[in-house]
């Protein structure tokens, strides 16, 4: 018995946030429909009810799940719940809505809420989609939870417990998934592979999850053997038209394509003298008859000189208004690349006649992998709620007033038992789904829900854990890239600090020095009107605010300005003082998290307690390494004092990075 307990507890977090509570009430159930989605509903309810008694007539039942509601408050796959100990009514207009309502009910029951009155819940974004960067060979680009959950050895071979994935997504309303990497292998569209993709789509359909594919723009040539992949070529258009027909014959509810084109060496329409709009619209026309869409990425990153942060705007703004109505431009939250903190991409709000959507990153490529506790809802809320000053809209609002609306994020799943490589990383998948359903939820509320569902209901423990989560992202920013610094991480595998990195022959704008510009005269990238003038891409008054170091929010000051080491802030601190303060504050935060965590023994399961304890040790060590590596390197230019003893010497910091890559460590 004793040995069994920890195993049971482990299984709990392997089950993600799906640990619902048994209901003792003698409910009699009534379901309006019989279909695959209602089979899921029955299964979920059976697992929390000793006996699932059903009635033939609605009047005889006390627990109703309806998908034929006339309630005018319900939109799309939304739902209304009314419940007490005696009667439960979950009503929706679609089976998917009924499923979402059941999950909401189970979630609330888990936290002890038995009386629910007229709870109306409608989704804000229509498409709530995960982007998996999984490759057919089974590897996962920027994945820190093991191998692919979809592919193995060039073929589809999904996790045997893929139902848990489907349930987890449906429970937060995620209704779409791109199963392959945006660095797309043309063979994803081979007939053999599509047969496999069909099996995935069939498994996910009952959960209202549509499958999409990331496609390689040169598939007609690379896979189809055509001479070209020029989007205006008749044979190319024909090839795509036939391919799309083949897909829809297999997968009638196929969602569409996600495309990374003319970025980081991938092919695209510009290889043939065409534009992003030519490329996107050609694919959109092939998909249109079936209701499919194209998500075309704005993450363009090509060597062209100049300021990389300006490129997406420069390339896409001239195309505003030129995209078909089943195209949506997928824009990363920041103008560079999923850094711990970036200002929002200036395309939000500026593209007024084009449908746009945000792309976030759940996988912690630049935020400590699945080793650092870093709750991302706070970062995403900061982004969504930022005022763009375009027609008075926040970033979120700029993505809503259009025919198609969508919200996406790069997944953090893998084939490790616990899906995400760290129980705390599961919270970010959960948070993404909840925000896609309702971006007005607070980070705090989402954290509380997730803790209740996954870790504990103990009030004091919930408070403490939630407090750690809410502070965690700022801590990571502080010990990695405070004050607007960015891209200081290790070469290629993006692990650890390497602001000194210089790889002979490598592209200049892949090198940290390009971004931080540390020199005897100071630190930071001058993107003001006296520099690259990236500030110009923002709407007034942001433009003037970002342009002036005195007005620029301190958290972005080195993003927009190159400042002398003795530059003085309003609080009397020099730039150097502030840097030292923030780097050290980040480390102190992790120490504080550790101190709080030790008080939680017995309040969460032992395996969770031990896992977080171990990971926090790694996080503290890496935070110290980041702090020391960055400060000791910057000190070679500033020649100013570090007012405490570092844990590592500069030489040790460099050596630590080169000892072993993260991927190698994972194999141990
Ligand atoms: O963040 C960078 C990553 C690449 C990724 C690329 C992208 C899929 O380092 O691994 O490629 O962005 O978003 O396309």
């Amino acid at each position: 018995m004793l040995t069994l307990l920890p195993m049971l507890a482990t299984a709990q977090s392997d089950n993600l946030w799906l640990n619902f509570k048994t209901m003792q009430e003698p409910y009699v159930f009534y379901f309006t429909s019989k279909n695959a989605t209602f089979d899921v509903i029955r299964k979920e309810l059976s697992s929390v009810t000793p006996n699932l008694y059903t009635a033939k007539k609605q009047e005889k039942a006390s627990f109703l799940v309806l998908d034929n509601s006339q309630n005018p408050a319900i939109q799309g796959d939304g739902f209304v719940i009314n419940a007490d100990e005696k009667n439960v009514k979950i009503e929706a207009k679609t089976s998917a809505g009924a499923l979402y309502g059941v999950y909401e009910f189970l979630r609330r029951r888990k936290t002890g809420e038995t009386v629910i009155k007229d709870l109306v819940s409608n989704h804000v974004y229509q498409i709530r989609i995960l982007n998996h960067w999984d490759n057919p060979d089974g590897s996962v680009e920027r994945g820190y939870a093991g191998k692919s959950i979809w592919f193995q050895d060039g073929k589809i071979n999904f996790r045997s417990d893929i139902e848990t994935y489907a349930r987890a997504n449906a429970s937060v309303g995620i209704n779409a998934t791109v199963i392959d990497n945006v660095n797309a292998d043309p063979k994803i569209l081979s007939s053999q592979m599509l047969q496999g993709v069909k099996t995935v789509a069939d498994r996910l359909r009952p959960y209202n999850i549509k499958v999409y594919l990331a496609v390689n723009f040169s598939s007609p040539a690379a896979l189809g053997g055509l001479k070209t992949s020029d989007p205006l070529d008749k044979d190319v258009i024909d090839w795509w038209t036939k391919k799309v027909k083949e897909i829809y014959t297999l997968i009638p509810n196929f969602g569409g394509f996600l495309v990374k084109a003319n970025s980081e060496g991938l092919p695209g329409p510009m290889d043939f003298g065409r534009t992003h709009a030519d490329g996107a619209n050609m694919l959109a026309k092939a998909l249109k008859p079936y209701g499919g869409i194209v998500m075309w990425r704005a993450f363009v990153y090509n060597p062209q000189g100049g300021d990389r942060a300006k490129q997406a705007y420069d390339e896409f703004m001239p195309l505003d208004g030129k995209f078909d109505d089943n195209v949506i431009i997928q824009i990363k939250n920041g103008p560079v690349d999923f850094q711990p903190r970036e200002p929002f991409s200036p395309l939000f709000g500026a593209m007024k006649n084009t449908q746009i959507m945000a792309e976030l990153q759940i996988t912690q490529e630049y935020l400590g992998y699945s080793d650092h506790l870093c709750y991302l809802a706070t970062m995403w809320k900061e982004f969504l709620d930022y005022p763009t000053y375009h027609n008075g809209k926040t970033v979120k609002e700029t993505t809503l007033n259009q025919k198609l609306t969508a919200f996406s994020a790069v997944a953090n799943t893998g084939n490790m038992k616990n899906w995400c490589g760290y129980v705390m990383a599961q919270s970010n998948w959960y948070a993404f789904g909840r925000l896609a359903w309702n971006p007005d939820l607070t980070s705090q509320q989402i954290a509380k829900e997730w803790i209740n569902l996954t870790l504990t209901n103990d009030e004091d423990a919930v408070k403490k854990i939630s407090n750690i989560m809410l502070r965690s992202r700022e801590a990571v920013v502080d010990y990695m890239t405070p004050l607007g610094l960015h891209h200081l991480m290790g070469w290629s595998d993006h692990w650890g600090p390497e602001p000194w990195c210089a790889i002979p022959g490598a592209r200049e704008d892949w090198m940290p020095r390009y971004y931080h510009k540390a020199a005897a005269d100071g630190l930071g990238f001058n993107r003001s009107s006296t520099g690259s003038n990236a500030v110009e891409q923002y709407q007034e008054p942001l433009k003037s605010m970002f342009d002036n170091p005195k007005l620029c929010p301190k958290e972005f000051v080195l993003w927009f300005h190159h400042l002398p080491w003795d530059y003085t802030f309003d609080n009397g601190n020099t730039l150097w003082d502030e840097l030292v303060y923030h780097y050290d504050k980040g480390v102190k935060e992790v120490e504080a998290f550790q101190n709080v965590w030790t008080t939680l023994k017995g309040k969460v399961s032992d395996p969770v307690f031990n896992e977080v304890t171990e990971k926090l040790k790694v996080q503290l060590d890496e935070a110290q390494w980041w702090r020391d590596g960055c400060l000791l390197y910057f000190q070679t230019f500033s020649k100013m004092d570090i007012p405490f003893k570092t844990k590592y010497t500069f030489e040790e910091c460099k050596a630590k990075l080169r000892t072993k890559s993260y991927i190698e460590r994972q194999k141990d």
Side-chain angles (χ1 to χ4, degrees):
M1 194 60 200
L2 272 179
T3 48
L4 262 179
L5 275 175
M7 277 176 61
L8 280 175
T10 309
Q12 202 185 337
S13 71
D14 295 345
N15 207 22
L16 298 162
W17 48 87
L18 299 165
N19 309 291
F20 302 122
K21 202 170 147 188
T22 308
M23 301 189 293
Q24 299 306 337
E25 295 87 342
Y27 290 126
V28 177
F29 291 82
Y30 177 81
F31 304 102
T32 35
S33 294
K34 272 199 174 137
N35 59 36
T37 301
F38 267 83
D39 289 345
V40 175
I41 292 176
R42 280 168 187 265
K43 213 165 142 191
E44 286 295 356
L45 290 171
S46 305
S47 71
V48 291
T49 318
N51 288 299
L52 192 90
Y53 295 114
T54 53
K56 289 232 160 58
K57 287 204 173 116
Q58 191 165 330
E59 308 78 63
K60 297 256 161 73
S62 54
F63 195 121
L64 310 177
V65 185
L66 318 173
D67 66 352
N68 60 357
S69 174
Q70 303 293 318
N71 190 330
I74 302 172
Q75 288 158 25
D77 293 328
F79 55 85
V80 171
I81 306 180
N82 277 287
D84 57 32
E85 282 92 349
K86 291 215 176 84
N87 291 289
V88 178
K89 185 177 177 192
I90 298 170
E91 44 176 334
K93 292 183 170 162
T94 61
S95 299
L99 178 66
Y100 296 149
V102 166
Y103 279 121
E104 174 88 24
F105 170 80
L106 292 175
R107 183 170 65 69
R108 288 179 182 246
R109 263 301 162 97
K110 165 87 180 182
T111 53
E113 202 176 325
T114 42
V115 179
I116 305 172
K117 238 188 115 25
D118 284 327
L119 172 90
V120 181
S121 185
N122 290 311
H123 48 85
V124 170
Y125 289 99
Q126 294 154 5
I127 302 172
R128 306 172 293 277
I129 185 164
L130 288 176
N131 291 186
H132 291 271
W133 285 355
D134 292 24
N135 300 310
D137 69 2
S139 60
V140 182
E141 184 153 352
R142 312 304 177 190
Y144 314 108
K147 297 260 182 186
S148 171
I149 61 170
W150 306 115
F151 302 99
Q152 202 185 7
D153 302 331
K155 292 198 189 86
I156 291 281
N157 186 4
F158 49 82
R159 265 180 83 138
S160 56
D161 55 351
I162 205 67
E163 245 76 49
T164 304
Y165 168 90
R167 293 172 60 220
N169 282 328
S171 76
V172 288
I174 292 172
N175 64 356
T177 183
V178 185
I179 62 169
D180 65 318
N181 191 353
V182 287
N183 288 331
D185 187 331
K187 79 164 165 275
I188 192 73
L189 290 177
S190 71
S191 299
Q192 190 204 16
M193 188 69 93
L194 290 176
Q195 291 289 343
V197 177
K198 173 191 160 51
T199 62
V200 175
D202 289 345
R203 282 296 271 276
L204 300 183
R205 192 172 297 115
Y207 299 85
N208 195 41
I209 301 170
K210 273 191 191 179
V211 167
Y212 291 65
L213 290 176
V215 297
N216 186 300
F217 198 78
S218 59
S219 300
L223 180 70
L226 302 193
K227 279 201 203 74
T228 176
S229 293
D230 179 349
L232 302 193
D233 182 277
K234 196 183 152 304
D235 293 341
V236 170
I237 298 172
D238 259 15
W239 188 88
W240 282 109
T241 309
K242 284 199 189 111
K243 199 37 98 180
V244 167
K245 186 169 178 205
E246 181 187 347
I247 298 173
Y248 277 93
T249 310
L250 292 167
I251 309 167
N253 71 332
F254 181 70
F257 294 146
L258 170 65
V259 191
K260 170 174 176 177
N262 292 116
S263 177
E264 296 188 318
L266 268 96
M270 287 154 93
D271 302 345
F272 311 97
R274 315 296 182 194
T275 67
H276 288 290
D278 294 329
N281 294 344
M282 181 272 294
L283 294 176
K285 287 188 173 63
L287 290 157
K288 179 97 178 175
Y290 308 93
I293 66 158
V294 174
M295 291 168 289
W296 191 270
R297 291 177 95 225
F299 176 74
V300 283
Y301 180 17
N302 274 322
Q304 56 156 25
D307 179 359
R308 176 182 164 194
K310 292 174 68 178
Q311 197 183 332
Y313 184 100
D314 287 346
E315 231 169 274
F316 278 84
M317 277 308 284
L319 301 173
D320 190 18
K322 300 218 161 85
F323 293 93
D324 284 6
D325 68 355
N326 58 332
V327 176
I328 184 162
I329 304 300
Q330 181 168 309
I331 309 168
K332 285 189 183 178
N333 57 289
V336 170
D337 190 11
F338 297 139
Q339 290 295 298
R341 174 171 275 126
E342 296 189 33
F344 71 87
S345 161
L347 281 170
F348 292 102
M351 288 196 99
K352 294 199 167 50
N353 302 304
T354 302
Q355 306 187 97
I356 56 170
M357 64 189 276
E359 176 179 349
L360 310 173
Q361 196 180 44
I362 308 174
T363 191
Q364 291 169 237
E365 174 179 0
Y366 300 105
L367 291 126
Y369 292 6
S370 289
D371 282 336
H372 294 207
L373 192 168
C374 183
Y375 175 56
L376 296 170
T378 46
M379 164 159 148
W380 299 334
K381 288 289 288 182
E382 175 180 303
F383 159 73
L384 286 165
D385 295 340
Y386 217 89
T388 67
Y389 290 96
H390 287 283
N391 305 327
K393 289 182 176 161
T394 60
V395 168
K396 174 193 72 192
E397 287 158 355
T398 68
T399 62
L400 285 177
N401 194 15
Q402 49 194 36
K403 200 181 109 207
L404 264 179
T405 62
F407 196 56
S408 69
V410 183
N412 64 347
T413 52
N415 69 352
M416 285 185 179
K417 257 189 120 212
N418 70 2
W419 294 90
C420 301
Y422 188 7
V423 61
M424 299 307 292
Q426 296 174 357
S427 66
N428 292 325
W429 177 6
Y430 182 86
F432 164 72
R434 294 291 284 140
L435 285 174
W437 183 273
N438 180 5
D440 293 330
L441 292 172
T442 65
S443 311
Q444 200 156 7
Q445 182 182 338
I446 298 171
K448 183 178 178 309
E449 285 175 16
W450 177 80
I451 297 166
N452 282 155
L453 292 167
T454 315
L455 304 179
T456 177
N457 272 325
D458 179 287
E459 249 179 66
D460 178 57
V462 173
K463 259 197 212 140
K464 286 177 173 161
I465 301 169
S466 148
N467 185 268
I468 292 178
M469 288 169 73
L470 294 170
R471 284 154 61 185
S472 61
R473 182 267 183 148
E474 201 61 43
V476 175
V477 171
D478 275 335
Y479 63 68
M480 286 187 181
T481 52
L483 303 175
L485 287 170
H486 49 289
H487 224 282
L488 306 184
M489 70 289 161
W491 163 251
S492 182
D493 64 8
H494 298 175
W495 177 64
E498 202 180 15
W500 51 85
C501 176
I503 308 273
R507 270 172 56 176
E508 189 213 359
D509 62 358
W510 265 338
M511 292 295 114
R513 288 164 194 243
Y514 166 88
Y515 298 93
H516 62 66
K517 309 244 188 283
D521 72 343
L523 179 66
F525 195 128
N526 184 359
R527 295 193 167 101
S528 76
S529 46
T530 64
S532 79
N533 206 17
V535 291
E536 199 190 34
Q537 298 180 338
Y538 291 91
Q539 178 71 16
E540 287 292 12
L542 284 184
K543 176 179 158 182
S544 303
M545 213 172 88
F546 290 155
D547 197 32
N548 178 346
K550 289 276 169 227
L551 301 176
C552 182
K554 206 193 254 176
E555 66 265 26
F556 296 134
V557 80
L558 298 177
W559 181 282
F560 289 111
H561 298 278
H562 186 78
L563 299 178
W565 298 105
D566 60 358
Y567 175 86
T568 313
F569 289 99
D570 287 346
N571 62 3
N573 282 350
T574 64
L575 172 61
W576 180 252
D577 295 335
E578 283 286 322
L579 264 186
V580 169
Y581 167 74
H582 280 280
Y583 270 111
D584 197 43
K585 182 163 149 258
V587 171
K588 292 211 168 86
E589 281 286 90
V590 183
E591 283 165 351
F593 301 162
Q594 276 188 323
N595 289 336
V596 175
W597 190 259
T598 51
T599 68
L600 295 172
K601 193 162 173 58
K603 297 286 172 68
V604 295
S605 74
D606 282 349
V608 164
F609 180 80
N610 295 336
E611 182 189 355
V612 178
T613 303
E614 286 312 305
K615 291 271 191 185
L616 282 174
K617 276 188 208 152
V618 175
Q619 184 170 3
L620 177 62
D621 177 63
E622 294 188 0
Q624 288 162 327
W625 175 34
W626 266 94
R627 174 197 66 190
D628 296 351
C630 293
L631 287 178
L632 289 164
Y633 170 69
F634 292 142
Q635 189 184 40
T636 63
F637 302 99
S638 78
K639 313 280 183 216
M640 292 161 118
D641 278 348
I642 299 173
F644 51 81
K645 192 169 160 14
T646 58
K647 174 177 173 187
Y648 292 107
T649 65
F650 191 24
E651 287 316 310
E652 283 166 346
C653 289
K654 290 194 212 167
K656 193 168 161 72
L657 188 80
R658 292 280 157 245
T659 43
K660 240 181 198 188
S661 78
Y662 179 84
I663 305 301
E664 286 165 343
R665 288 192 301 134
Q666 263 196 326
K667 285 188 199 134
D668 289 346

